[in-house]
Amino acid sequence: FSILKTGVVRQIYPFELIGDFQCSDRLFNEIWHLGYRTLLVCSEDSYTDTPFRERGLYAGDALPEFAITLATSGDTRLMKRSIMLFHDKYQQAFFPGKSKVEGEPGTLSEFIQITTEYFRWYVDRTGDLDFAEKYYPGYKYMLEQNLLNRDEDGLVEKPRVFVEWTKIEKSDVKNTAFHMHFARSCKSMALLAEKLNKTEDAEFFRKAEQELVEAVMEELWNEDKKAFHDSKKDGKLLDSYYPISSAIPMLYGYTTNEQNEYIGAYLEKELEDIGNITRQRRATPYGGFYVIGALYKNEQAGVAERFIRKYWSPMIYRHNDTAWENFGDGSDGVQGTLSHAWSGNRELAPLL
């Protein structure tokens, strides 16, 4: 026999690098390109968390992935595809009467809400109001159902949250980060409703946003600590204050100028040493996406860049290929991949 033709099927999404970053520090230039290389291997027919392990489409991972995309390529088509897939994946949350998709491992509660943010980013950047009109009802239903679950204190107890891959309490909690994502999702829905001339919806979601923020301030801000509790559990405030819990409210603009001063000082101190045991540190590369965005928004570029230099530079010095899932390369035996686009890290504040 004879071979008539050979070929290779390209598996990754064909992003074109248009954006660029250069500064006087070569390390930061390398870290910027590290993020883009990681995006490439985590982009197939949808965004994925990693080319290894489950190769799954995760709603939390997709936010930093889309942020990297907008900074490097500007191509919104893969996000459009991912939003469509999320509506299938999480159909029990988006549509009344729908059952859970067989094989779906369970919904990480704030992840579903985070999709609202990049749904709005996509519509803002493309002006695709037909797409917005088509998927708007699912988002409206999802958020309304969560709002119906508020208790007397204005907060929602969730059986599980993700927030960070740290030791933060995740089960049966009223979590600060969850509610700040929730409030932000309501704001995004209000903005989308205005674009679609749904005035009553816009008013409803702006009111819900305000109520959620007020509840968090009343229930979860610690005036003595000058930081937010991570959660309430069984009616009691947890004496736990991970950086992510104060960074997200500040990033989303829900804190006062006075609170920002306190939170900024608190984050600077917390980030000096986040620990050295994987999955037990005070912050992770994923959470760093929000923390770094909050620091830049609070005009603490020096703190943000010290944090980046300390914890991302090993990714360059040891391998210089793609960004790691954890602040460790797996040599300690803890689960984690060396190619995880949630670790690519881009300053989030300008995208808000």
Side-chain angles (χ1 to χ4, degrees), residues 174-202:
K174 295 177 177 179
N175 175 269
T176 297
F178 166 84
H179 285 88
M180 293 290 91
H181 283 308
F182 194 178
R184 180 68 188 187
S185 295
C186 288
K187 179 175 183 177
S188 288
M189 279 301 288
L191 293 169
L192 286 163
E194 289 170 354
K195 286 180 180 290
L196 297 173
N197 297 315
K198 301 179 186 293
T199 305
E200 289 186 7
D201 283 0

Side-chain angles (χ1 to χ4, degrees), residues 13-271:
Y13 186 84
F15 282 121
E16 179 184 356
L17 181 59
I18 296 174
D20 194 13
F21 170 82
Q22 295 290 331
C23 72
S24 58
D25 191 321
R26 183 179 175 183
L27 176 62
F28 283 98
N29 297 337
E30 292 290 336
I31 291 173
W32 193 92
H33 286 280
L34 180 84
Y36 179 65
R37 292 197 298 273
T38 312
L39 175 71
L40 291 181
V41 301
C42 295
S43 302
E44 300 182 20
D45 62 340
S46 71
Y47 288 108
T48 64
D49 62 330
T50 173
F52 304 101
R53 217 166 61 221
E54 62 265 48
R55 290 172 65 188
L57 170 61
Y58 281 89
D61 299 52
L63 186 69
E65 288 175 324
F66 192 34
I68 297 170
T69 300
L70 294 175
T72 58
S73 170
D75 188 337
T76 60
R77 293 173 294 176
L78 193 61
M79 178 47 72
K80 180 178 182 179
R81 166 70 173 162
S82 297
I83 291 169
M84 294 165 65
L85 291 174
F86 281 129
H87 263 62
D88 288 336
K89 179 178 181 179
Y90 295 133
Q91 61 177 263
Q92 80 279 11
F94 286 118
F95 304 107
K98 291 287 186 178
S99 60
K100 185 176 174 181
V101 177
E102 185 176 354
E104 164 61 23
T107 55
L108 300 169
S109 57
E110 82 273 12
F111 274 23
I112 304 176
Q113 293 179 158
I114 289 171
T115 68
T116 315
E117 183 70 11
Y118 42 78
F119 176 46
R120 179 177 65 82
W121 289 6
Y122 172 80
V123 174
D124 283 349
R125 281 156 180 78
T126 64
D128 190 347
L129 296 184
D130 289 339
F131 184 81
E133 191 75 59
K134 180 178 180 179
Y135 288 94
Y136 178 90
Y139 281 100
K140 179 182 177 182
Y141 175 78
M142 179 267 292
L143 291 174
E144 286 177 339
Q145 294 306 300
N146 266 310
L147 288 166
L148 290 174
N149 290 326
R150 287 178 289 181
D151 290 334
E152 291 182 358
D153 59 7
L155 303 175
V156 180
E157 181 177 305
K158 301 302 291 187
R160 188 186 178 202
V161 294
F162 180 78
V163 182
E164 266 270 53
W165 215 329
T166 61
K167 286 295 191 178
I168 194 169
E169 180 62 55
K170 300 174 184 287
S171 300
D172 300 318
V173 289
K174 295 177 177 179
N175 175 269
T176 297
F178 166 84
H179 285 88
M180 293 290 91
H181 283 308
F182 194 178
R184 180 68 188 187
S185 295
C186 288
K187 179 175 183 177
S188 288
M189 279 301 288
L191 293 169
L192 286 163
E194 289 170 354
K195 286 180 180 290
L196 297 173
N197 297 315
K198 301 179 186 293
T199 305
E200 289 186 7
D201 283 0
E203 292 175 355
F204 172 82
F205 283 112
R206 287 197 181 280
K207 183 173 183 292
E209 177 196 17
Q210 181 180 354
E211 290 171 351
L212 287 166
V213 172
E214 289 175 353
V216 171
M217 294 301 169
E218 177 68 24
E219 299 293 329
L220 292 162
W221 171 255
N222 187 318
E223 184 62 29
D224 294 328
K225 182 77 172 180
K226 305 299 184 185
F228 286 92
H229 293 269
D230 294 328
S231 299
K232 284 177 69 176
K233 186 177 177 71
D234 299 327
K236 298 179 181 179
L237 291 166
L238 298 183
D239 190 25
S240 175
Y241 309 86
Y242 276 86
I244 193 74
S245 299
S246 293
I248 288 181
M250 184 165 73
L251 172 65
Y252 286 156
Y254 292 138
T255 46
T256 65
N257 290 336
E258 183 179 14
Q259 285 176 315
N260 290 344
E261 289 186 19
Y262 293 132
I263 293 170
Y266 161 77
L267 290 177
E268 181 174 7
K269 182 178 180 180
E270 283 284 295
L271 297 177

